[in-house]
Amino acid sequence: MLNLKTSDTSLSEGKANLVALSHLFYEKNWSLATSSNYSIVLCKEPLNLLITASGKDKQFLSLDDFVTVDESGQLTGSKNGDHKQSAETLLHTAIASKPGVGAVLHTHSVASTVLSNKYCDEGFLEIQGFEMIKAISLDGIKVTHETCVKLPIFANSQDMVALSNQVNNKYHTLPKAFLIAGHGLYAWGKDLSEAKRHVEGYEFLLEVLLKSGF
Ligand SMILES: [Zn+2]
């Protein structure tokens, strides 16, 4: 069972929660073939982020498959075998260092891959008129099914410094999530429970749009 109590996350509690979440997301086909990364803020200042190590199979993710990193994405704490941080760690640290962010989740679903590619030139995907939009908590806005959410799409890049700079520059406009074209979804929340709800909400909405022929 996933028991998400992350307001004051300890290292062992954070690992256990992310392992359970990993197995769940794998079963939903959002984290196949070692894709995806999940992170939890252990300490905000200075930032210490618990994040899945690079290249781990999310179906079989274990308590040993994590590293901790600082704000610049460098490993902290004692070395854990040959575990490395993923190249995408910089996107996690860019978001996790912002006030009010407790967890960041990145998935690679079919719906997010197809739709982000299709609407990349527009730069965003507009979502409106669905009850599930209420799953998304936006700062200073009472979200209803009529709220129009503009989900930004960044061009895919292997240059994570450039990509994280783009995310930093647009952060105040982001609806607790964004897409990378042909790649996947990043979503976050004040804790792991809210971040999970945002991934589930957005993945549901993206699947609805895909199946509706958008
Ligand atoms: Zn990715």
Side-chain angles (χ1 to χ4, degrees):
M1 281 294 288
L2 201 54
N3 180 22
L4 302 175
K5 292 183 296 176
T6 55
S7 52
D8 186 20
T9 304
S10 69
L11 185 62
S12 57
E13 187 184 19
K15 286 180 179 179
N17 284 338
L18 287 180
V19 163
L21 179 125
S22 176
H23 298 166
L24 184 73
F25 280 12
Y26 178 87
E27 291 303 321
K28 291 178 180 291
N29 291 336
W30 298 342
S31 296
L32 297 177
T34 76
S35 70
S36 304
N37 301 289
Y38 322 121
S39 67
I40 289 182
V41 175
L42 297 173
C43 178
K44 202 74 174 177
E45 284 185 22
L47 184 69
N48 195 26
L49 191 70
L50 176 70
I51 185 165
T52 43
S54 178
K56 299 298 175 188
D57 187 328
K58 301 307 183 294
Q59 183 180 18
F60 304 113
L61 196 77
S62 77
L63 296 172
D64 191 45
D65 293 334
F66 293 90
V67 293
T68 52
V69 296
D70 64 15
E71 190 159 357
S72 59
Q74 298 303 306
L75 294 177
T76 60
S78 52
K79 196 163 162 50
N80 182 8
D82 59 356
H83 286 16
K84 294 191 191 84
Q85 65 276 59
S86 152
E88 293 172 323
T89 296
L90 280 182
L91 289 179
H92 284 255
T93 56
I95 301 159
S97 60
K98 300 290 188 289
V101 177
V104 183
L105 302 173
H106 171 45
T107 49
H108 284 212
S109 68
V110 170
S112 66
T113 302
V114 172
L115 290 172
S116 60
N117 230 7
K118 194 169 173 184
Y119 290 92
C120 182
D121 287 348
E122 280 86 341
F124 61 89
L125 188 60
E126 217 167 70
I127 310 173
Q128 189 173 27
F130 301 107
E131 188 70 14
M132 187 59 90
I133 290 174
K134 287 153 74 174
I136 314 301
S137 293
L138 299 178
D139 295 334
I141 298 174
K142 172 151 177 44
V143 177
T144 74
H145 68 285
E146 290 180 325
T147 303
C148 179
V149 174
K150 275 189 169 184
L151 186 58
I153 304 170
F154 296 101
N156 199 16
S157 170
Q158 303 308 309
D159 184 345
M160 289 301 146
V161 174
L163 205 46
S164 63
N165 284 339
Q166 287 184 54
V167 169
N168 262 325
N169 292 340
K170 282 202 166 177
Y171 181 77
H172 65 286
T173 68
L174 302 176
K176 304 283 176 76
F178 61 84
L179 293 167
I180 300 180
H183 182 157
L185 171 76
Y186 276 81
W188 54 94
K190 64 183 184 213
D191 53 25
L192 185 59
S193 179
E194 187 176 86
K196 174 177 175 282
R197 196 181 76 230
H198 287 164
V199 170
E200 289 178 342
Y202 276 120
E203 289 290 6
F204 177 95
L205 291 162
L206 292 168
E207 206 173 319
V208 166
L209 293 179
L210 186 66
K211 289 184 174 171
S212 304
F214 271 72

